[in-house]
Amino acid sequence: MQSTATVLVYSDNSGTREQVRLATGRRPAADAPAVEFVECATLPAVLGELEKGGIDVCVLDGEAVPAGGMGVCRQIKDEVFDCPPVLVLMGRPQDAWLATWSRADAAVTLPVEPVEFAGALAGLLRRGRAAA
């Protein structure tokens, strides 16, 4: 079993990135690996980290500016070979159709609700482990 997973967190808002870290804690669930974070505030940083490899899950802020997480998700699903699963943070529940359009693997609303977020992240980490 993988002992540590790397989660990329993209948001131009440091407070949103902090919400993700706090909601996850050391691990999002008892049966999920411990998590290390790679934080990105810009689209070029996200693309650079994905190019390096080693990212297990991406968490993308749909409200980020100027490149929103939904568009970033669609772009990396098109452009990144073996793209990791993506969890999108939506501004409103009504944006679920955009998350579907972006091809996100999961979506939760902002502000980050710890139990909902940790459950969604743990599910993506489990899927990644099962595929490995």
Side-chain angles (χ1 to χ4, degrees), residues 21-116:
R21 287 192 320 272
L22 292 173
T24 305
R26 282 189 14 81
R27 65 180 66 227
D31 64 339
V35 171
E36 292 179 355
F37 294 100
V38 173
E39 294 187 36
C40 299
T42 66
L43 175 57
V46 169
L47 298 176
E49 290 295 334
L50 288 171
E51 191 173 306
K52 288 181 198 174
I55 302 296
D56 295 295
V57 173
C58 294
V59 177
L60 307 178
D61 179 2
E63 303 301 303
V65 176
M70 306 260 190
V72 172
C73 180
R74 189 162 177 98
Q75 180 177 345
I76 65 175
K77 290 287 187 171
D78 284 343
E79 297 177 3
V80 175
F81 175 73
D82 203 17
C83 184
V86 176
L87 171 57
V88 171
L89 306 174
M90 304 178 296
R92 317 169 300 155
Q94 297 89 332
D95 292 335
W97 72 273
L98 276 171
T100 301
W101 167 84
S102 73
R103 300 201 303 268
D105 299 281
V108 298
T109 55
L110 288 167
V112 173
E113 194 286 309
V115 173
E116 177 189 27

Side-chain angles (χ1 to χ4, degrees), residues 5-23:
T6 303
V7 176
L8 181 147
V9 182
Y10 164 65
S11 178
D12 65 321
N13 183 324
S14 62
T16 300
R17 294 192 308 267
E18 181 180 35
Q19 285 179 40
V20 167
R21 287 192 320 272
L22 292 173

